[in-house]
Amino acid sequence: MLLESGRASADFVPVLMYHDIADTPVSRAFRRFVVPPTLFTEHLLALSEAGYSTTRISQVSDGPACQKRVFVTFDDGFGTVSQHGLPALAAQDMTATLFLPTAFIGGRASWLTPLGEAHRRLLGWADVRDAIDAGFEIGSHGHRHLELDVIDERQLEYELVVSREILQDETRTAVQSLAYPFGYHDTRVRSAALRAGYRTACEVGYGLHMRTWDPMRVRRLLIGPDVSGECLLKLVNGGEPTVGQRARRYTRPVWRLARRTRGAMRSPTFLRK
Ligand SMILES: [Zn+2]
């Protein structure tokens, strides 16, 4: 595999970030987070035919190098993932990791109210336990899906510790993986996550992750409904990002600066991810 730079990329690992897998109507603002089931199956077939196998995100730093591995992750725990996403993965003998905001398990995605998507149903505990029994990994997505880098120390510890404890207590499995809600983190957040017991944590990043990089800031590729199977293979092989991905990569720091300036007074917005 060669990257854009022409550098040998045996240690680069593609980590795919999905949200919902559904055919349901979706608002314009949320459209890029919903992949139709038929397209998701196309993605998996393309990966499988290209010789990729899947591994849990907690093994992202494990060797050996030169292995054709891809990591599939789902943020938020949307209910239709258990109907369309997990069966499609199982059919290809593939696995994935589900990142769940524990306060909302069994409920609705109320943090998406600004986008008109708060009606989306989330996985219940029975679904989560079924997923674990089927070989999928679960990780924390915080407790209340808050932007961790702008909340105070007490809230930060609460979000990280309580969500992990709830997941472990309810499922009787060890939880060591985290996906930062909205992708936001900094040194303080990463240190708190390590203290809370996490050993792998995912951001957004819009690029390939390297196996030897810090496992508390795993870069992922946001995969949306405009990514064909062929395009997905280009991305996991280190090809050019789409125009949209490139634009978002360079505009993100501006968003972050504006968000920090507003401080904790503003309400979280999913759009800023
Ligand atoms: Zn999320």
Side-chain angles (χ1 to χ4, degrees):
M1 192 191 303
L2 289 180
L3 289 184
E4 295 160 48
S5 62
R7 196 165 27 146
S9 59
D11 278 339
F12 278 89
V13 287
V15 182
L16 311 183
M17 177 177 61
Y18 289 95
H19 291 78
D20 208 353
I21 307 294
D23 270 327
T24 50
V26 58
S27 65
R28 185 182 168 90
F30 196 66
R31 181 180 169 275
R32 64 197 171 97
F33 298 109
V34 181
V35 171
T38 49
L39 179 59
F40 184 64
T41 297
E42 182 184 321
H43 290 170
L44 300 184
L45 286 172
L47 291 169
S48 180
E49 286 168 9
Y52 279 95
S53 61
T54 55
T55 315
R56 294 157 165 242
I57 198 66
S58 53
Q59 296 171 306
V60 73
S61 299
D62 297 348
C66 304
Q67 199 177 19
K68 243 181 160 179
R69 297 186 302 165
V70 64
F71 298 80
V72 179
T73 67
F74 295 94
D75 282 13
D76 302 330
F78 291 109
T80 44
V81 167
S82 69
Q83 295 167 28
H84 304 301
L86 304 191
L89 282 155
Q92 298 299 321
D93 198 22
M94 290 179 161
T95 192
T97 301
L98 304 169
F99 291 113
L100 310 170
T102 42
F104 301 103
I105 290 177
R108 308 267 174 176
S110 60
W111 73 91
L112 294 177
T113 299
L115 301 188
E117 297 286 345
H119 61 278
R120 288 189 180 265
R121 191 181 68 80
L122 302 176
L123 298 170
W125 284 114
D127 303 312
V128 173
R129 293 188 192 100
D130 285 348
I132 292 170
D133 290 345
F136 295 97
E137 179 183 17
I138 58 161
S140 168
H141 199 36
H143 184 56
R144 294 165 293 175
H145 205 287
L146 300 179
E147 299 173 8
L148 300 179
D149 61 330
V150 294
I151 58 179
D152 66 32
E153 203 64 32
R154 186 183 56 81
Q155 288 190 77
L156 174 60
E157 185 175 334
Y158 181 85
E159 288 294 315
L160 293 169
V161 172
V162 166
S163 61
R164 182 165 179 255
E165 285 179 354
I166 290 174
L167 288 173
Q168 294 191 144
D169 289 349
E170 290 284 346
T171 65
R172 303 284 175 203
T173 57
V175 171
Q176 293 190 312
S177 301
L178 166 74
Y180 305 110
F182 306 99
Y184 293 126
H185 63 91
D186 55 18
T187 305
R188 183 182 70 110
V189 172
R190 293 193 296 275
S191 298
L194 278 168
R195 285 197 305 277
Y198 299 100
R199 294 297 172 261
T200 306
C202 293
E203 54 178 30
V204 182
Y206 307 107
L208 297 179
H209 181 71
M210 194 168 188
R211 193 172 60 89
T212 53
W213 285 348
D214 183 356
M216 297 306 287
R217 47 191 316 175
V218 175
R219 292 172 70 180
R220 292 187 290 175
L221 294 159
L222 173 60
I223 307 299
D226 298 324
V227 177
S228 66
E230 185 183 359
C231 178
L232 181 73
L233 280 184
K234 282 184 185 161
L235 288 170
V236 301
N237 283 320
E240 284 284 332
T242 64
V243 172
Q245 284 171 324
R246 197 179 302 127
R248 285 177 55 72
R249 181 185 298 176
Y250 294 121
T251 55
R252 188 164 171 247
V254 178
W255 280 112
R256 179 171 293 240
L257 182 64
R259 192 173 60 90
R260 279 191 181 282
T261 304
R262 282 192 298 274
M265 293 299 291
R266 84 284 162 276
S267 58
T269 301
F270 202 75
L271 274 173
R272 297 190 190 109
K273 186 165 187 177

